[in-house]
Amino acid sequence: MNIVLIGYRGTGKSTVGKVLAMRLGRPVVSTDAEIVRRAGRTVPEIVAQHGWDHFRDLESTVCQDFSAQDGLIIDTGGGAILRPQNTECLKKTGTLFWLTAAVATIASRIGSDTQRPSLTGTKSFVEEIEEVLAARNPQYQAAADHIIPTDGRSINQIVDAILSCL
């Protein structure tokens, strides 16, 4: 069975995934890192050259490939839940943990991230986070087997909360 981390960027998926992997002796994989590896381009380059739909196609392929394996910790991109087929295949072989954080927490964590293109193109940084979360939260909620708030918690506390659910 896989452990799948879902949630908006900046909620701690990558860091939590690495600590979970160390504690459980399992491999951790990142859908975004695998997309970059396969495409030979950064996420902003992929989106600029081919658009978000192409990126989402690549993401769906990677989700399918990872879900065909067992014993992984899968750190998904924030938009992986946008396509129902991604959620369906990940749930077949995994337990989905939705890592959450307040808008202010997310903004402080990802404010200097230059590896992600704007999702809305026209909003301020905080407005974009608010808008995208408002749209995605119902999808995260529907996909999640467990919800793990990350605000004000250490990485070890978050990992302990996940482990207590398994």
Side-chain angles (χ1 to χ4, degrees), residues 3-6 10-21 23-24 97-101 105 109 146-166:
I3 297 172
V4 183
L5 305 176
I6 63 171
T11 57
K13 298 183 305 288
S14 297
T15 305
V16 168
K18 289 172 188 166
V19 175
L20 270 170
R23 287 234 208 137
L24 296 173
F97 291 87
W98 175 23
L99 303 188
T100 66
T105 301
R109 289 178 181 169
H146 302 281
I147 301 169
I148 308 293
T150 65
D151 289 296
R153 293 172 113 175
S154 72
I155 296 302
N156 284 324
Q157 289 171 323
I158 298 164
V159 169
D160 288 343
I162 291 169
L163 294 174
S164 73
C165 294
L166 295 174

Side-chain angles (χ1 to χ4, degrees), residues 38-68:
R38 290 181 186 188
R41 297 180 187 91
T42 66
V43 174
E45 289 169 342
I46 295 167
V47 172
Q49 292 173 7
H50 303 286
W52 277 109
D53 282 343
H54 177 73
F55 176 83
R56 297 291 174 216
D57 291 342
L58 297 171
E59 183 174 59
S60 292
T61 300
V62 169
C63 286
Q64 187 76 34
D65 292 349
F66 284 165
S67 69

Side-chain angles (χ1 to χ4, degrees), residues 135-151:
R136 289 184 183 176
N137 279 347
Q139 292 167 291
Y140 289 132
Q141 176 80 43
D145 294 305
H146 302 281
I147 301 169
I148 308 293
T150 65
D151 289 296

Side-chain angles (χ1 to χ4, degrees), residues 76-145:
T76 66
I81 48 78
L82 295 175
R83 290 195 173 170
Q85 68 263 33
N86 295 345
T87 301
E88 289 167 14
C89 72
L90 291 167
K91 283 180 89 64
K92 283 181 184 173
T93 59
T95 302
L96 276 61
F97 291 87
W98 175 23
L99 303 188
T100 66
V103 171
T105 301
I106 292 169
S108 71
R109 289 178 181 169
I110 67 171
S112 62
D113 182 2
T114 59
Q115 290 305 302
R116 282 308 208 160
S118 173
L119 297 171
T120 62
T122 58
K123 307 283 182 186
S124 76
F125 184 60
V126 171
E127 288 173 331
E128 177 175 286
I129 295 168
E130 292 170 339
E131 181 178 308
V132 174
L133 278 177
R136 289 184 183 176
N137 279 347
Q139 292 167 291
Y140 289 132
Q141 176 80 43
D145 294 305

